[in-house]
PDB file of all heavy atoms in Angstrom:
ATOM      1  N   PHE A 368      43.313  12.143 -56.656  1.00  0.00           N
ATOM      2  CA  PHE A 368      44.622  12.145 -57.457  1.00  0.00           C
ATOM      3  C   PHE A 368      45.293  13.490 -57.404  1.00  0.00           C
ATOM      4  O   PHE A 368      46.457  13.608 -57.716  1.00  0.00           O
ATOM      5  CB  PHE A 368      44.397  11.659 -58.939  1.00  0.00           C
ATOM      6  CG  PHE A 368      44.026  10.290 -59.032  1.00  0.00           C
ATOM      7  CD1 PHE A 368      43.827   9.405 -57.948  1.00  0.00           C
ATOM      8  CD2 PHE A 368      43.989   9.636 -60.340  1.00  0.00           C
ATOM      9  CE1 PHE A 368      43.692   8.008 -57.992  1.00  0.00           C
ATOM     10  CE2 PHE A 368      43.732   8.250 -60.382  1.00  0.00           C
ATOM     11  CZ  PHE A 368      43.590   7.381 -59.261  1.00  0.00           C
ATOM     12  N   SER A 369      44.487  14.523 -56.897  1.00  0.00           N
ATOM     13  CA  SER A 369      45.154  15.877 -56.876  1.00  0.00           C
ATOM     14  C   SER A 369      45.488  16.139 -55.428  1.00  0.00           C
ATOM     15  O   SER A 369      45.788  17.214 -55.063  1.00  0.00           O
ATOM     16  CB  SER A 369      44.191  16.972 -57.362  1.00  0.00           C
ATOM     17  OG  SER A 369      42.961  16.867 -56.673  1.00  0.00           O
ATOM     18  N   ASP A 370      45.397  15.125 -54.469  1.00  0.00           N
ATOM     19  CA  ASP A 370      45.418  15.428 -53.083  1.00  0.00           C
ATOM     20  C   ASP A 370      46.869  15.040 -52.624  1.00  0.00           C
ATOM     21  O   ASP A 370      47.326  13.925 -52.793  1.00  0.00           O
ATOM     22  CB  ASP A 370      44.468  14.641 -52.261  1.00  0.00           C
ATOM     23  CG  ASP A 370      44.437  15.092 -50.829  1.00  0.00           C
ATOM     24  OD1 ASP A 370      43.647  15.966 -50.514  1.00  0.00           O
ATOM     25  OD2 ASP A 370      45.132  14.504 -50.046  1.00  0.00           O
ATOM     26  N   SER A 371      47.558  15.980 -51.962  1.00  0.00           N
ATOM     27  CA  SER A 371      49.021  15.716 -51.636  1.00  0.00           C
ATOM     28  C   SER A 371      49.054  14.628 -50.470  1.00  0.00           C
ATOM     29  O   SER A 371      49.970  13.797 -50.633  1.00  0.00           O
ATOM     30  CB  SER A 371      49.731  16.967 -51.201  1.00  0.00           C
ATOM     31  OG  SER A 371      49.010  17.516 -50.112  1.00  0.00           O
ATOM     32  N   THR A 372      48.171  14.534 -49.657  1.00  0.00           N
ATOM     33  CA  THR A 372      48.034  13.452 -48.545  1.00  0.00           C
ATOM     34  C   THR A 372      47.827  12.172 -49.198  1.00  0.00           C
ATOM     35  O   THR A 372      48.487  11.141 -48.847  1.00  0.00           O
ATOM     36  CB  THR A 372      46.974  13.719 -47.547  1.00  0.00           C
ATOM     37  OG1 THR A 372      46.928  15.159 -47.175  1.00  0.00           O
ATOM     38  CG2 THR A 372      46.969  12.823 -46.352  1.00  0.00           C
ATOM     39  N   PHE A 373      46.950  12.110 -50.203  1.00  0.00           N
ATOM     40  CA  PHE A 373      46.746  10.750 -50.905  1.00  0.00           C
ATOM     41  C   PHE A 373      47.936  10.392 -51.567  1.00  0.00           C
ATOM     42  O   PHE A 373      48.554   9.340 -51.629  1.00  0.00           O
ATOM     43  CB  PHE A 373      45.544  10.968 -51.763  1.00  0.00           C
ATOM     44  CG  PHE A 373      45.287   9.652 -52.611  1.00  0.00           C
ATOM     45  CD1 PHE A 373      44.757   8.505 -52.067  1.00  0.00           C
ATOM     46  CD2 PHE A 373      45.682   9.679 -53.934  1.00  0.00           C
ATOM     47  CE1 PHE A 373      44.462   7.381 -52.827  1.00  0.00           C
ATOM     48  CE2 PHE A 373      45.471   8.498 -54.758  1.00  0.00           C
ATOM     49  CZ  PHE A 373      44.901   7.257 -54.148  1.00  0.00           C
ATOM     50  N   CYS A 374      48.594  11.318 -52.396  1.00  0.00           N
ATOM     51  CA  CYS A 374      49.725  11.009 -53.257  1.00  0.00           C
ATOM     52  C   CYS A 374      50.876  10.693 -52.493  1.00  0.00           C
ATOM     53  O   CYS A 374      51.809   9.966 -52.934  1.00  0.00           O
ATOM     54  CB  CYS A 374      49.888  12.168 -54.229  1.00  0.00           C
ATOM     55  SG  CYS A 374      48.691  12.242 -55.493  1.00  0.00           S
ATOM     56  N   SER A 375      50.931  11.143 -51.202  1.00  0.00           N
ATOM     57  CA  SER A 375      52.170  10.825 -50.447  1.00  0.00           C
ATOM     58  C   SER A 375      52.243   9.233 -50.043  1.00  0.00           C
ATOM     59  O   SER A 375      53.120   8.738 -49.744  1.00  0.00           O
ATOM     60  CB  SER A 375      52.188  11.592 -49.104  1.00  0.00           C
ATOM     61  OG  SER A 375      51.069  11.114 -48.179  1.00  0.00           O
ATOM     62  N   LYS A 376      51.048   8.603 -50.304  1.00  0.00           N
ATOM     63  CA  LYS A 376      51.000   7.079 -50.007  1.00  0.00           C
ATOM     64  C   LYS A 376      51.391   6.316 -51.234  1.00  0.00           C
ATOM     65  O   LYS A 376      51.436   5.180 -51.221  1.00  0.00           O
ATOM     66  CB  LYS A 376      49.639   6.731 -49.735  1.00  0.00           C
ATOM     67  CG  LYS A 376      49.103   7.455 -48.386  1.00  0.00           C
ATOM     68  CD  LYS A 376      47.692   7.109 -48.114  1.00  0.00           C
ATOM     69  CE  LYS A 376      47.094   8.059 -47.030  1.00  0.00           C
ATOM     70  NZ  LYS A 376      47.936   7.977 -45.812  1.00  0.00           N
ATOM     71  N   LEU A 377      51.641   7.022 -52.336  1.00  0.00           N
ATOM     72  CA  LEU A 377      51.965   6.393 -53.524  1.00  0.00           C
ATOM     73  C   LEU A 377      53.583   6.284 -53.851  1.00  0.00           C
ATOM     74  O   LEU A 377      54.166   7.228 -53.538  1.00  0.00           O
ATOM     75  CB  LEU A 377      51.212   7.031 -54.763  1.00  0.00           C
ATOM     76  CG  LEU A 377      49.764   7.262 -54.650  1.00  0.00           C
ATOM     77  CD1 LEU A 377      49.268   8.048 -55.826  1.00  0.00           C
ATOM     78  CD2 LEU A 377      48.997   5.953 -54.480  1.00  0.00           C
ATOM     79  N   VAL A 378      53.927   5.309 -54.678  1.00  0.00           N
ATOM     80  CA  VAL A 378      55.288   5.294 -55.084  1.00  0.00           C
ATOM     81  C   VAL A 378      55.553   6.125 -56.340  1.00  0.00           C
ATOM     82  O   VAL A 378      56.525   7.025 -56.395  1.00  0.00           O
ATOM     83  CB  VAL A 378      55.699   3.863 -55.397  1.00  0.00           C
ATOM     84  CG1 VAL A 378      57.250   3.839 -55.866  1.00  0.00           C
ATOM     85  CG2 VAL A 378      55.460   2.932 -54.168  1.00  0.00           C
ATOM     86  N   LYS A 379      54.502   6.051 -57.223  1.00  0.00           N
ATOM     87  CA  LYS A 379      54.632   6.886 -58.409  1.00  0.00           C
ATOM     88  C   LYS A 379      53.266   7.757 -58.585  1.00  0.00           C
ATOM     89  O   LYS A 379      52.158   7.306 -57.988  1.00  0.00           O
ATOM     90  CB  LYS A 379      54.685   5.978 -59.686  1.00  0.00           C
ATOM     91  CG  LYS A 379      55.952   5.288 -59.941  1.00  0.00           C
ATOM     92  CD  LYS A 379      55.792   4.574 -61.124  1.00  0.00           C
ATOM     93  CE  LYS A 379      57.209   3.616 -61.326  1.00  0.00           C
ATOM     94  NZ  LYS A 379      56.847   2.616 -62.373  1.00  0.00           N
ATOM     95  N   PRO A 380      53.238   8.910 -59.195  1.00  0.00           N
ATOM     96  CA  PRO A 380      52.032   9.677 -59.313  1.00  0.00           C
ATOM     97  C   PRO A 380      50.976   8.924 -60.141  1.00  0.00           C
ATOM     98  O   PRO A 380      51.291   8.004 -60.939  1.00  0.00           O
ATOM     99  CB  PRO A 380      52.443  10.903 -60.165  1.00  0.00           C
ATOM    100  CG  PRO A 380      53.938  10.877 -60.275  1.00  0.00           C
ATOM    101  CD  PRO A 380      54.534   9.453 -59.867  1.00  0.00           C
TER     102      PRO A 380
END
Side-chain angles (χ1 to χ4, degrees):
F368 287 7
S369 59
D370 192 86
S371 54
T372 308
F373 176 77
C374 288
S375 70
K376 299 176 191 305
L377 309 176
V378 180
K379 286 184 188 162

